[in-house]
Amino acid sequence: MENYIVRIYRRDENDPEKVTGMLESVEYETRESFHSINALQALLTEHSGPGRRQRVRTDRQETTHTASVALLK
Amino acid sequence: MGVNLESRRIRRLQQQQPVSGWSRTSGSSRVDHPVRIHTLGRFAVQVYSHPMGLSLARQQRPLDLLKALIALGGREVHAELLSQALWPDTDGDAAQNAFDVTLHRLRRLFDIKDLFILRDRRLTLNSNLAWVDAWAFERLVNHSERLLHLVGDPMIGRQVARCSERLLNLYQGAFLEREASNAWTLTLRERLRSKLLRHMQDAGLCWEQDGNWERAIRFYRKGLEVDPLTEELYQRLIIAYRATGRRAEAIRTFHRCRLILADQFQIAPSQQTLELFHSLKD
C-alpha cells in the first residue's frame, strides 16, 4: 500500500482543473508541488516508476534546504 | 526483563499513591489521572507523575500497540484493526497471537487494573485512568469552535482566549511526529493539524474584530509555524501589521510569502495578497 497526503493551497474559481497543492509521500517523506489535477495524476503515476526512491530523496533534501533558507530571511 | 523492572517501579509508585489513584484532588476540579500520555510533538508517558523509561527495546512493541490504539481512536478499537496496523504482513492466527502477547506485555508494563479493557475483541484505553494530550486537544478545539460562534459576549471572549492558550500549550508538534511514518498515524495527525490551523485563523479573526491585534498577530504567526504555505495567514498577518502601524513588518511578511510561494510552488502571490501589498504603499 502507498500512502500520500494531498494538500490543496489554491483553487481557481473559474477553472476547477487548476489547483495548486503539495503531494507528500508518507513512505519516502517527499513533497512535490502540482498546479492542476492532471499534474497531480502525473505525479502519482510517476511514483509507481522504477528508481523513484533515490531521486525523490535528493529532491526533498534540496527543497527542504531552500524552504528553510526562505523562512529565515 | 526490562518490562519487569519498569512494572516493578510502577508498582512501587502505586503503593505510594492513594488507593483510588485518580480521585479528584481536593479543591480542584482536575481529575488526576494516574497515566498521562504525551503524543503531540513527542512521545512520553508519565505514571503517577513519574516519567516512564521508554528506551528499552523490549518495550517497543507494547508501546507501539499503545500508540496505534490512541491513533485509531482509543475506544473499542477492533483487535483486527490493530493487528493490521502493527503486523500488516502477518495474517490469521499468527496476527491474533501477536496481538494477544503484545497486549499482555503492555498490561504488565503498566500494571494498572482496567487501564486496557478488551471486550469482544475490541480494545479500549480507559480514559478515566489515562489522560492523552491529543484527546484533550481535540476536545478543547471542538469546544472552542462552538464558543467562537458565540463571540461578541466579553465573557465568551475570555473563555475563547483561555481555550486558545491551552491549545497552543497542548500542541507541541504534530501527533507522533518523531515516530517512523506509519499510515495509521496519519488520520489523527492530519485532523489535529487541520483543526489547529482552522482555529488559528478563526480565533485570529475573532481577535481582529475585538480590536486585539497583538493576539491576532500571535495566532497568525503560530499558524504559519505549523504551515508556512498557507497564503491566507500571510494576508491576515499583513492586515494586522497594517492596522497596528507596523508597515515594515507587513512588507517583510509579504516578501516572505512571495519567496515561499515562488520556492515551493513556483507561483506568484494571489491578486488579493498583491492588493494588500499595494495598499501598504498608500
Side-chain angles (χ1 to χ4, degrees), chain A residues 7 9-10 31 35 66, chain B residues 190 193 227 231 263 265 268:
Chain A
R7 300 188 199 281
Y9 286 96
R10 194 185 284 181
R31 287 151 51 107
H35 300 94
T66 324
Chain B
E190 291 305 310
R193 180 182 186 275
D227 190 347
E231 192 173 3
D263 180 64
F265 298 119

Side-chain angles (χ1 to χ4, degrees), chain B residues 121-173:
Chain B
R121 300 295 293 162
R122 289 172 188 277
L123 186 61
T124 296
L125 172 61
N126 189 339
S127 58
N128 288 326
L129 299 175
W131 175 91
V132 181
D133 60 354
W135 297 351
F137 175 88
E138 197 158 27
R139 272 197 307 272
L140 197 57
V141 82
N142 291 341
H143 177 62
S144 302
E145 265 178 35
R146 286 192 293 273
L147 286 178
L148 279 167
H149 290 297
L150 306 170
V151 165
D153 179 340
M155 286 292 284
I156 298 290
R158 277 195 289 275
Q159 278 188 53
V160 173
R162 273 199 301 272
C163 283
S164 298
E165 294 302 327
R166 282 171 61 198
L167 283 174
L168 291 185
N169 285 336
L170 279 170
Y171 198 88
Q172 298 292 315

Side-chain angles (χ1 to χ4, degrees), chain B residues 226-242:
Chain B
V226 176
D227 190 347
L229 303 181
T230 310
E231 192 173 3
E232 288 82 0
L233 284 170
Y234 290 104
Q235 291 170 358
R236 298 316 313 174
L237 195 53
I238 292 170
I239 290 168
Y241 280 139
R242 188 181 60 186

Side-chain angles (χ1 to χ4, degrees), chain A residues 1 3-5 7 9-10 20-22 24 26-27 29 31-35 63-64 66-68 70-73, chain B residues 180-183 186 190 193 224 227-232 234 252 256 259-261 263-270:
Chain A
M1 186 170 70
N3 294 287
Y4 299 95
I5 299 167
R7 300 188 199 281
Y9 286 96
R10 194 185 284 181
T20 300
M22 197 63 86
E24 296 183 17
V26 175
E27 187 187 357
E29 296 181 30
R31 287 151 51 107
E32 289 166 284
S33 62
F34 57 87
H35 300 94
T63 307
T64 311
T66 324
S68 309
L71 279 172
L72 286 170
K73 283 181 182 171
Chain B
S181 292
N182 291 304
L186 292 183
E190 291 305 310
R193 180 182 186 275
L224 285 170
D227 190 347
L229 303 181
T230 310
E231 192 173 3
E232 288 82 0
Y234 290 104
R252 263 203 300 275
R256 215 178 91 197
L259 277 172
I260 206 153
L261 291 179
D263 180 64
Q264 297 287 300
F265 298 119
Q266 300 78 50
I267 56 171
S270 67

Side-chain angles (χ1 to χ4, degrees), chain B:
Chain B
M1 182 65 82
V3 172
N4 287 338
L5 285 172
E6 191 62 45
S7 301
R8 262 182 244 148
R9 196 171 77 87
I10 290 169
R11 245 194 314 275
R12 277 203 305 276
L13 292 169
Q14 283 174 337
Q15 286 159 6
Q16 295 161 14
Q17 300 296 322
V19 176
S20 65
W22 55 283
S23 59
R24 284 174 191 276
T25 50
S26 58
S28 165
S29 61
R30 179 175 166 268
V31 177
D32 191 13
H33 297 84
V35 178
R36 294 177 72 82
I37 303 168
H38 297 270
T39 58
L40 298 173
R42 64 191 165 127
F43 181 70
V45 180
Q46 289 179 325
V47 181
Y48 296 110
S49 306
H50 293 265
M52 179 187 263
L54 303 174
S55 57
L56 296 171
R58 285 193 58 176
Q59 294 174 345
Q60 292 315 305
R61 227 41 190 149
L63 291 174
D64 283 346
L65 177 59
L66 174 63
K67 291 170 194 170
L69 176 61
I70 293 169
L72 296 171
R75 284 183 68 85
E76 301 191 349
V77 183
H78 204 284
E80 202 175 308
L81 200 57
L82 290 161
S83 299
Q84 278 169 8
L86 296 180
W87 302 279
D89 301 323
T90 313
D91 49 24
D93 292 345
Q96 189 172 319
N97 189 43
F99 172 81
D100 290 339
V101 169
T102 309
L103 176 59
H104 175 70
R105 289 171 57 199
L106 182 62
R107 281 174 161 155
R108 275 182 62 201
L109 182 62
F110 283 89
D111 205 12
I112 295 176
K113 191 173 178 292
D114 295 333
L115 180 59
F116 300 98
I117 301 164
L118 185 66
R119 205 170 285 151
D120 300 328
R121 300 295 293 162
R122 289 172 188 277
L123 186 61
T124 296
L125 172 61
N126 189 339
S127 58
N128 288 326
L129 299 175
W131 175 91
V132 181
D133 60 354
W135 297 351
F137 175 88
E138 197 158 27
R139 272 197 307 272
L140 197 57
V141 82
N142 291 341
H143 177 62
S144 302
E145 265 178 35
R146 286 192 293 273
L147 286 178
L148 279 167
H149 290 297
L150 306 170
V151 165
D153 179 340
M155 286 292 284
I156 298 290
R158 277 195 289 275
Q159 278 188 53
V160 173
R162 273 199 301 272
C163 283
S164 298
E165 294 302 327
R166 282 171 61 198
L167 283 174
L168 291 185
N169 285 336
L170 279 170
Y171 198 88
Q172 298 292 315
F175 175 70
L176 296 177
E177 70 178 5
R178 292 182 202 167
E179 305 295 311
S181 292
N182 291 304
W184 43 267
T185 59
L186 292 183
T187 306
L188 185 57
R189 181 183 297 174
E190 291 305 310
R191 191 170 73 229
L192 297 183
R193 180 182 186 275
S194 176
K195 283 188 173 188
L196 178 74
L197 279 171
R198 199 170 61 220
H199 179 80
M200 293 292 107
Q201 292 191 52
D202 292 348
L205 276 172
C206 161
W207 303 130
E208 280 186 32
Q209 286 159 13
D210 212 31
N212 193 339
W213 291 101
E214 289 308 318
R215 184 167 263 159
I217 287 169
R218 203 167 136 247
F219 275 61
Y220 296 142
R221 288 175 64 107
K222 180 73 183 177
L224 285 170
E225 278 175 32
V226 176
D227 190 347
L229 303 181
T230 310
E231 192 173 3
E232 288 82 0
L233 284 170
Y234 290 104
Q235 291 170 358
R236 298 316 313 174
L237 195 53
I238 292 170
I239 290 168
Y241 280 139
R242 188 181 60 186
T244 47
R246 291 146 78 175
R247 188 171 162 272
E249 283 176 87
I251 291 172
R252 263 203 300 275
T253 303
F254 168 78
H255 286 301
R256 215 178 91 197
C257 173
R258 186 178 58 79
L259 277 172
I260 206 153
L261 291 179
D263 180 64
Q264 297 287 300
F265 298 119
Q266 300 78 50
I267 56 171
S270 67
Q271 191 57 37
Q272 209 178 341
T273 310
L274 288 170
E275 280 169 15
L276 276 173
F277 176 60
H278 293 312
S279 77
L280 298 172
K281 294 174 184 169
D282 299 337

